[in-house]
Amino acid sequence: MERSVEISHLSKSYNGQSVVNDISFTISKGEVFGLIGPNGAGKTTIIRMLLDIIKPDSGQIQILNNTLSGELKNKIGYLPEDRGLYKKLTVMETLLYLGSLKNMRSKDRASKFLDKMGMLPHKDKKISELSKGMQQKIQLIAALIHDPEFVILDEPFSGLDPVNMKLVKDLIIELGDQGKTILISTHMMDQVERMCDRIFMINKGKGVLYGSVDEIRSRYGKNTILLDFEGELKNIPGIRKMNNSGNYAELILEQSADPQEVLKTLAAMVRVNKFEISMPSLNEIFISVVEGT
Amino acid sequence: MRKWKTIAKHEYLTNIKRKEFLFVTFGIPLFFFATMALSFLFMGVGTPEPVFKIGYIDNTGSFGNSNFTLYSDEEMARIDLLENNLTHYFIIPENYTATGRILIYSSQKNFADNFKIEDQIRTFLMANLLKNEPPEIIERINRPIISEYFTLNDKGLKNEENGISILIVPIVFSLLFTLSIFTSSGFLLQGVVEEKENRIIEVILSSVSHKELLQGKIIGLGALGLTQIVIWLLVSGSLILINPVVLSLVFSQIHISITMLILAMVYFVLGYLIFASIMAGVGAVATTSREGQQIAGIFSLAGVFPLMFAQFIISTPNEVLAKALSIFPLTSPTAMIMRLSVTDVPFLELLVSIILLAVSAYLIMELSVRIFRASLLMYGKKPTIQELIKYVREG
């Protein structure tokens, strides 16, 4: 498989404190790749090194089979975690300037994207007049306007309302269908587990899990019960851990427990609307990995 | 288009519309000219000359023949003074020739009048003391020197300007010069810190290199500074053409040669480059624009240093202080312009000063790019000096 990104033995420390510690992974062409981990794990630092914004202390990075150059930067789209735009420029001016920095200054493309995101009526407004969600859409457009081969999205869902969240998800899926290589960095693991082909999980600067989502989840076995219920849950034998959200719960089984027995106990205790034996969520896997180490 | 050009164009076009730029470009020179014109206006017209009625009592018996009223009795003079028939009277004592004492009485205390009164009395006394001399001698004794200055060297003879122009030209020129350098490099600092604060810098750096970004900014804002200077030159040029009386008085005092103009441009560009590079470095290190301005203040102080010592540089342009300031890179642009407008600076000194300025501008720019690259995204934390040194080495 053709590789879009190859990172090997990447390390970076600030003031003697290791932020990224010997990280290696590859992203294949056309893949939707998740870089996941809690806040402060080192995700953004890896991305900045990937883009040559900061220098790694050691390790190599290859993008599209090359070391990063100005020419190559034109093929990369980047939505940073920290969102900012020039407040005094208009929407169109912003997109034209940021586009021209990628050698793609096109009013047509900007208008097309604005239309798609429902922002066309705002094209002559100043950025400072836009709501946060709107600004975020402008940034997303700026990251995509030059039709990049490789798209890096750092926390693309943060601060979005459900409507815009869907808009962004659809856009990512569309990009994936177009064969773009996409790197999504996020701490919202449930968001990426349905979208990503493969993931790299990082905690405190160190890689903890790496592989396809399905493979990782099945590695942890079918030990999770997803439950929709009415009533009150307490003390269920055979359950190691419970994430209870009121009328929805994730129950982690003990190694030896029989799901059928648990169902019986549950049925006696609450009204069961849905009962599903499943692989654990990435969230759960992550927590157990972090707690286990 | 090369990317630094895109950035330069963007910086130029967005900053030229800024209120601060328009204010400095049009407001401040207007203020200058207004103040200068006003002071010339007042100098020319002045307040109406007060009319003095002066009496005197001559106890020597040898002073006479004047516009002053001679009283034989002091009591009479005193009454006339109190009744406002006189504004002043004075007494020439018997022993005047030996002591020079003159007692002057007036009904009102007024310092400004004292000089004029004294002037009139002096003329009167002189005329009497020298009454046997011809009038030209009296006139010469009154004004023994009317000066004109020349410099004579291997380039020939040059008539030196005199009086007010010797102060106005270098001071106004270097003031505008410094103003323009600081406006542009200040915009640079603000721009870098702003982009850091609103985090758009990450998007830009995902498209261009650190060096391209800094170069683009420095060149774009430098062009802005040049525009400002050109506007000033055009405005002053057209004012001379319109030639209103008062302004022509101001401009008749200003003579700028082509060589001087070229040197001024060289110093402007290099001076701007050095301050812009410093501001870029400061912008990279500073976490907020307020902090940036505080750090930048230290360097700006070095820039205005020659202005604070303008008096010394202009009065002794070939002494150690003036020479040192015109060679040290941060102060040389302004100091050298001041010196050039009042004296002939040896070619070697000029050369050393320009080379030193150019080399340090280049070095500081390289240094700033390295610091910029290394410390740019350490949000909220200012690097220590040791870290800065480390960055510079690694870069």
Side-chain angles (χ1 to χ4, degrees):
Chain A
M1 181 113 58
E2 205 181 331
R3 279 169 180 171
S4 271
V5 178
E6 184 165 6
I7 287 179
S8 44
H9 305 291
L10 199 63
S11 291
K12 176 82 186 172
S13 57
Y14 285 121
N15 312 321
Q17 202 176 347
S18 175
V19 181
V20 172
N21 192 350
D22 197 26
I23 296 291
S24 304
F25 62 83
T26 59
I27 305 174
S28 308
K29 194 168 165 23
E31 186 174 42
V32 181
F33 192 87
L35 179 61
I36 61 180
N39 291 327
K43 303 187 294 293
T44 301
T45 306
I46 291 177
I47 289 173
R48 286 177 182 162
M49 288 191 277
L50 207 60
L51 285 165
D52 198 34
I53 295 175
I54 52 178
K55 260 194 175 171
D57 294 342
S58 60
Q60 272 86 46
I61 298 169
Q62 288 229 315
I63 294 182
L64 307 172
N65 295 319
N66 243 313
T67 48
L68 196 62
S69 65
E71 201 52 39
L72 207 50
K73 280 186 173 179
N74 292 343
K75 296 182 181 172
I76 302 175
Y78 176 40
L79 175 75
E81 178 182 6
D82 295 313
R83 309 288 151 73
L85 292 166
Y86 296 109
K87 300 225 159 30
K88 288 175 191 162
L89 293 191
T90 67
V91 169
M92 190 49 99
E93 283 169 340
T94 305
L95 291 178
L96 289 182
Y97 176 53
L98 293 177
S100 64
L101 288 180
K102 296 282 193 189
N103 280 349
M104 175 70 84
R105 185 186 166 88
S106 161
K107 244 184 181 148
D108 284 352
R109 277 189 70 84
S111 301
K112 210 183 84 194
F113 266 107
L114 285 171
D115 193 27
K116 191 171 178 176
M117 303 290 266
M119 292 290 293
L120 199 55
H122 305 289
K123 73 180 167 65
D124 294 320
K125 277 193 186 164
K126 283 190 176 167
I127 295 295
S128 55
E129 296 166 32
L130 300 183
S131 73
K132 257 210 165 115
M134 286 175 171
Q135 290 190 27
Q136 205 150 337
K137 285 193 211 169
I138 301 301
Q139 272 162 325
L140 195 61
I141 296 173
L144 301 174
I145 193 162
H146 55 293
D147 196 25
E149 279 178 39
F150 176 36
V151 182
I152 300 173
L153 306 170
D154 199 354
E155 299 289 358
F157 309 113
S158 72
L160 289 178
D161 62 34
V163 177
N164 286 326
M165 181 99 88
K166 185 172 180 312
L167 202 69
V168 172
K169 272 190 202 164
D170 289 348
L171 197 65
I172 293 172
I173 291 165
E174 194 188 315
L175 288 170
D177 291 345
Q178 287 169 13
K180 312 280 187 205
T181 308
I182 305 167
L183 172 62
I184 302 174
S185 156
T186 183
H187 66 278
M188 296 174 167
M189 302 188 201
D190 50 330
Q191 293 298 339
V192 286
E193 72 180 292
R194 283 160 244 164
M195 220 181 281
C196 290
D197 302 315
R198 291 190 310 137
I199 57 157
F200 185 87
M201 194 184 271
I202 179 172
N203 184 43
K204 291 179 184 156
K206 286 188 188 148
V208 287
L209 284 172
Y210 176 38
S212 83
V213 176
D214 289 342
E215 188 255 324
I216 287 174
R217 287 176 67 186
S218 61
R219 210 191 293 168
Y220 282 79
K222 286 205 164 196
N223 68 346
T224 303
I225 293 169
L226 304 178
L227 183 71
D228 276 9
F229 65 96
E230 287 164 44
E232 204 178 334
L233 287 179
K234 42 188 159 181
N235 288 343
I236 306 149
I239 298 296
R240 178 162 60 86
K241 199 180 157 196
M242 177 165 76
N243 301 321
N244 189 347
S245 318
N247 49 15
Y248 170 83
E250 216 180 276
L251 310 175
I252 320 294
L253 296 169
E254 278 171 6
Q255 212 108 55
S256 57
D258 176 5
Q260 298 309 319
E261 289 302 316
V262 175
L263 178 59
K264 278 180 201 162
T265 324
L266 283 169
M269 192 185 292
V270 297
R271 187 182 167 79
V272 176
N273 290 333
K274 186 183 128 190
F275 181 90
E276 184 188 338
I277 304 170
S278 163
M279 292 185 284
S281 66
L282 280 180
N283 225 343
E284 196 45 54
I285 293 173
F286 177 75
I287 290 167
S288 64
V289 165
V290 171
E291 281 174 352
T293 51
Chain B
M1 192 152 50
R2 296 287 300 271
K3 284 177 181 175
W4 66 261
K5 284 190 201 159
T6 310
I7 291 172
K9 194 174 142 202
H10 172 80
E11 291 293 330
Y12 184 85
L13 291 177
T14 45
N15 282 297
I16 204 165
K17 289 186 244 160
R18 282 171 68 155
K19 287 190 200 78
E20 296 96 315
F21 176 77
L22 297 175
F23 175 73
V24 172
T25 309
F26 296 105
I28 290 190
L30 212 64
F31 176 75
F32 267 142
F33 287 127
T35 5
M36 282 207 299
L38 277 181
S39 62
F40 270 88
L41 209 63
F42 281 129
M43 251 168 26
V45 178
T47 44
E49 203 61 39
V51 183
F52 299 120
K53 282 176 282 180
I54 300 168
Y56 72 104
I57 297 107
D58 178 16
N59 291 336
T60 63
S62 54
F63 287 80
N65 187 23
S66 84
N67 307 324
F68 303 159
T69 323
L70 176 65
Y71 289 83
S72 51
D73 182 2
E74 196 192 337
E75 198 51 42
M76 294 292 289
R78 188 174 296 159
I79 289 165
D80 274 354
L81 186 76
L82 293 176
E83 285 176 357
N84 281 333
N85 293 329
L86 285 180
T87 55
H88 299 75
Y89 71 87
F90 62 96
I91 300 172
I92 308 169
E94 264 172 90
N95 59 354
Y96 163 73
T97 340
T99 62
R101 279 183 79 210
I102 295 288
L103 313 169
I104 304 167
Y105 297 83
S106 69
S107 52
Q108 275 170 353
K109 195 170 169 183
N110 187 334
F111 284 115
D113 285 353
N114 286 357
F115 293 105
K116 293 168 189 155
I117 290 292
E118 228 171 85
D119 237 28
Q120 293 191 18
I121 299 174
R122 180 188 292 115
T123 316
F124 162 76
L125 293 171
M126 205 97 86
N128 274 282
L129 290 167
L130 302 168
K131 59 185 160 206
N132 299 325
E133 302 292 337
E136 310 94 76
I137 298 293
I138 300 176
E139 170 60 22
R140 245 338 33 82
I141 288 173
N142 260 324
R143 286 179 70 192
I145 176 169
I146 295 161
S147 57
E148 259 181 274
Y149 287 91
F150 299 90
T151 27
L152 184 63
N153 56 22
D154 46 8
K155 281 179 225 143
L157 190 69
K158 200 171 92 189
N159 199 339
E160 290 285 350
E161 294 134 34
N162 215 338
I164 194 155
S165 68
I166 220 157
L167 286 175
I168 282 188
V169 176
I171 288 188
V172 169
F173 202 59
S174 47
L175 208 60
L176 289 181
F177 195 77
T178 315
L179 202 64
S180 184
I181 288 181
F182 282 152
T183 314
S184 308
S185 60
F187 283 172
L188 184 81
L189 170 66
Q190 236 176 318
V192 171
V193 178
E194 249 170 42
E195 283 179 2
K196 259 174 74 167
E197 270 179 331
N198 72 21
R199 313 286 154 104
I200 197 166
I201 201 146
E202 251 181 289
V203 177
I204 293 172
L205 286 176
S206 75
S207 309
V208 305
S209 71
H210 300 70
K211 202 168 188 170
E212 282 171 316
L213 175 59
L214 274 194
Q215 275 174 350
K217 277 181 174 298
I218 288 175
I219 290 166
L221 291 169
L224 191 73
L226 279 177
T227 309
Q228 194 167 46
I229 295 233
V230 168
I231 289 174
W232 287 340
L233 287 177
L234 286 180
V235 169
S236 4
S238 48
L239 280 178
I240 291 172
L241 285 181
I242 299 165
N243 202 12
V245 183
V246 173
L247 283 174
S248 72
L249 247 176
V250 178
F251 286 112
S252 67
Q253 305 285 353
I254 298 176
H255 306 285
I256 297 169
S257 67
I258 297 294
T259 335
M260 173 80 175
L261 209 61
I262 291 169
L263 279 174
M265 282 298 164
V266 168
Y267 272 102
F268 175 80
V269 170
L270 291 176
Y272 163 73
L273 282 180
I274 205 166
F275 277 100
S277 310
I278 289 174
M279 294 308 163
V282 171
V285 173
T287 50
T288 62
S289 52
R290 174 185 289 207
E291 191 184 73
Q293 266 148 16
Q294 279 168 355
I295 307 175
I298 302 166
F299 295 102
S300 308
L301 206 62
V304 295
F305 201 73
L307 284 178
M308 299 193 284
F309 289 86
Q311 202 189 336
F312 299 103
I313 297 174
I314 291 163
S315 56
T316 55
N318 290 313
E319 291 304 314
V320 181
L321 176 75
K323 280 190 182 179
L325 288 179
S326 65
I327 285 175
F328 180 66
L330 290 183
T331 54
S332 63
T334 332
M336 191 56 101
I337 291 299
M338 278 190 207
R339 282 186 68 196
L340 281 169
S341 51
V342 291
T343 185
D344 283 318
V345 177
F347 180 71
L348 190 68
E349 275 179 41
L350 207 56
L351 196 70
V352 168
S353 158
I354 289 179
I355 289 175
L356 205 61
L357 189 60
V359 168
S360 12
Y362 175 77
L363 288 180
I364 291 177
M365 201 188 299
E366 281 292 308
L367 211 70
S368 287
V369 169
R370 288 181 180 196
I371 291 174
F372 192 63
R373 190 187 161 85
S375 66
L376 192 61
L377 289 162
M378 298 181 61
Y379 292 129
K381 186 186 160 300
K382 201 170 42 173
T384 61
I385 300 289
Q386 285 93 329
E387 281 171 307
L388 281 182
I389 294 168
K390 184 174 148 249
Y391 296 155
V392 171
R393 284 221 186 106
E394 284 173 356

